Amino acid sequence: MWYWFFKYVLLGPLLSVLGRPKVEGLEHVPSSGPAILASNHLAVMDSFFLPLVVRRRITFLAKSEYFTGTGLKGWFKRWFFTVVGQVPIDRANADAANAALTTAERLLGEGKLLGMYPEGTRSPDGRLYKGKTGLARLALQSGVPVIPVAMIGTNVVNPPGKKMLRFGRVSVRFGEPMDFSRFEGLAGNHFIERAVTDEVMYELMGLSGQEYVDIYAASIKDGTAKDADADRIPETAAG
């Protein structure tokens, strides 16, 4: 109930005025059944504008820090992120990443629409960064279609590092569902998972018009990569 209240009564009208969202390709989102929405990630508000334009409820995997606060503020954050469809995951290590994939697979098994950000974190500069292979492993293990989604302009409405929202124009573009059934039984093969992930990122690049950078966004944020031409940063087994 709260999910729909926030969408249609509280947050939805406000976001519609601030971002004036334009939607393309919404017909590619199935009206029922499991699917993965694989989106680029420019701003925190991506997780609000995307559900705003999709008729079905979307479930996101969210970092566990959103659910571990203390006091009244911590309680409110846990309550809010829960009712708007976010499920906590621990991203601390490979074991935690595997547990997150298990949770995601369970949600898909329940027929839900799952939102994922293959880059693993928000873009630090508006460019599109290398995707992590957890997306591919989940798609191969579950057999569900992957629908690429390009969020455009959310970083104008919700500038990085700013708490106040601004007026702008948001576009949400959905690509055609991607079927990876040709790789059935190959989940766990790193080369196949990398190929699948790169195929999704290529679609996102075309939909969003972003410049692609073949390193992980997290490596820019933590300083382990100095520029876009730095060596590739090894990823964990879980992607």
Side-chain angles (χ1 to χ4, degrees):
M1 179 187 73
W2 283 108
Y3 181 93
W4 305 110
F5 176 78
F6 278 111
K7 178 174 180 176
Y8 291 116
V9 179
L10 194 59
L11 289 178
L14 172 63
L15 295 180
S16 295
V17 171
L18 286 173
R20 297 174 297 143
K22 177 184 177 182
V23 186
E24 300 175 32
L26 187 58
E27 67 275 9
H28 296 313
V29 180
S31 58
S32 62
I36 299 171
L37 297 179
S39 174
N40 62 334
H41 199 13
L42 295 174
V44 171
M45 296 309 294
D46 292 333
S47 298
F48 294 88
F49 276 105
L50 183 53
L52 178 64
V53 303
V54 175
R55 298 182 185 94
R56 294 178 60 188
R57 176 169 180 157
I58 303 174
T59 300
F60 288 93
L61 300 181
K63 57 185 180 181
S64 58
E65 291 90 329
Y66 289 153
F67 299 81
T68 56
T70 58
L72 182 60
K73 182 179 179 181
W75 174 86
F76 178 79
K77 287 180 66 176
R78 284 194 299 275
W79 173 80
F80 176 77
F81 283 109
T82 299
V83 299
V84 296
Q86 310 232 5
V87 176
I89 59 168
D90 184 353
R91 306 182 301 177
N93 52 51
D95 289 339
N98 283 324
L101 290 176
T102 299
T103 299
E105 194 168 5
R106 172 180 60 79
L107 294 170
L108 292 171
E110 296 171 356
K112 294 185 177 181
L113 194 59
L114 185 67
M116 294 188 71
Y117 300 114
E119 293 168 276
T121 188
R122 282 167 283 159
S123 171
D125 53 18
R127 295 183 293 178
L128 183 69
Y129 283 81
K130 185 176 181 178
K132 296 193 173 185
T133 56
L135 165 70
R137 181 168 300 188
L138 180 60
L140 296 177
Q141 289 180 171
S142 65
V144 306
V146 176
I147 302 166
V149 186
M151 307 297 296
I152 303 169
T154 50
N155 55 339
V156 175
V157 174
N158 177 206
K162 304 293 184 181
K163 294 184 179 180
M164 296 297 294
L165 301 180
R166 301 177 180 178
F167 289 98
R169 186 64 188 269
V170 171
S171 293
V172 185
R173 295 175 181 167
F174 297 88
E176 295 185 5
M178 304 177 72
D179 178 11
F180 296 107
S181 59
R182 66 188 184 277
F183 297 124
E184 183 179 358
L186 294 177
N189 182 310
H190 175 76
F191 296 102
I192 295 298
E193 290 177 353
R194 172 46 56 196
V196 168
T197 303
D198 288 347
E199 189 173 335
V200 173
M201 301 312 292
Y202 183 82
E203 289 297 317
L204 288 178
M205 180 178 66
L207 284 170
S208 68
Q210 291 170 279
E211 176 187 351
Y212 179 73
V213 185
D214 196 28
I215 56 177
Y216 297 111
S219 69
I220 296 292
K221 289 184 174 182
D222 63 22
T224 56
K226 294 182 179 179
D227 55 48
D229 296 320
D231 291 337
R232 295 182 180 183
I233 309 299
E235 59 188 332
T236 65

